[in-house]
């Protein structure tokens, strides 16, 4: 018989937090897209979340950028056993409702009811060209205080 899928809607508080560096920008010297944070080029991030548990997991995510207090509201999500989701640069506008004209540099913050795998993939390349470098980072969890 087919394996019955467990619900992704688990009750419980958010017990774990992950903060992944989130870079979605270009540095184009001599234009309004000039930044001192990065060498000239294009920079993109994707953050993957995997549920390694045998039960569903609830999570929520927000983005926080720069010194201007640009912080989105949390958006809710959930994953069934062994399911995966991702956040990409386009989600800043499409999911978090922030329209940052010149790109963004900050953090994607994830809070989950159970331990999950969070992997950030960073790519960079010269302006007008393809990928020149890639880095894959495992984002560590930190326990949230009991509230």
């Amino acid at each position: 018989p087919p394996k019955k899928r467990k619900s992704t809607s688990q009750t419980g508080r958010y017990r774990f937090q992950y903060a992944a560096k989130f870079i979605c920008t270009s540095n184009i010297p001599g234009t309004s897209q000039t930044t001192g944070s990065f060498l000239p080029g294009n920079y993109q991030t994707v953050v993957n979340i995997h549920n390694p548990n045998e039960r569903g997991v609830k999570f929520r995510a927000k983005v926080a950028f720069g010194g201007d207090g640009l912080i989105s509201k949390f958006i809710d999500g959930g994953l069934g056993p062994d399911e995966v989701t991702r956040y990409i640069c386009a989600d800043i506008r499409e999911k978090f409702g922030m329209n940052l004209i010149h790109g963004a540099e900050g953090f994607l913050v994830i809070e989950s009811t159970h331990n999950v795998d969070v992997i950030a993939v960073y790519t960079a390349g010269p302006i007008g060209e393809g990928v020149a470098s890639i880095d894959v980072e495992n984002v560590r969890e930190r326990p949230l205080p009991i509230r």
Side-chain angles (χ1 to χ4, degrees):
K3 191 174 179 180
K4 187 175 179 182
R5 291 193 67 161
K6 296 180 183 177
S7 169
T8 61
S9 59
Q10 296 294 318
T11 58
R13 64 181 179 83
Y14 297 105
R15 297 171 36 208
F16 302 99
Q17 185 180 74
Y18 307 81
K21 183 69 175 168
F22 209 65
I23 305 165
C24 302
T25 194
S26 295
N27 180 8
I28 307 170
T31 72
S32 60
Q33 279 194 258
T34 301
T35 176
S37 298
F38 303 101
L39 294 172
N42 294 314
Y43 300 86
Q44 298 284 308
T45 303
V46 59
V47 176
N48 300 105
I49 306 169
H50 168 249
N51 176 13
N53 301 286
E54 293 182 8
R55 65 184 342 175
V57 170
K58 285 176 54 176
F59 70 89
R60 63 186 188 169
K62 69 179 178 179
V63 288
F65 300 111
D68 299 329
L70 297 172
I71 303 169
S72 75
K73 293 185 184 319
F74 275 108
I75 58 172
D76 294 322
L79 293 170
D82 212 28
E83 286 187 334
V84 175
T85 192
R86 71 177 186 170
Y87 288 94
I88 60 174
C89 292
D91 293 332
I92 295 169
R93 182 176 37 82
E94 294 171 10
K95 292 183 180 176
F96 295 102
M98 299 176 85
N99 190 17
L100 305 176
I101 296 168
H102 295 296
E105 174 194 354
F107 287 90
L108 173 70
V109 178
I110 300 157
E111 295 182 350
S112 63
T113 56
H114 297 78
N115 183 316
V116 293
D117 300 323
V118 178
I119 306 296
V121 180
Y122 305 98
T123 55
I127 297 164
E129 295 184 31
V131 174
S133 68
I134 186 168
D135 187 29
V136 179
E137 297 287 333
N138 186 18
V139 180
R140 295 182 317 175
E141 70 182 37
R142 69 174 147 247
L144 288 171
I146 296 173
R147 298 172 214 200

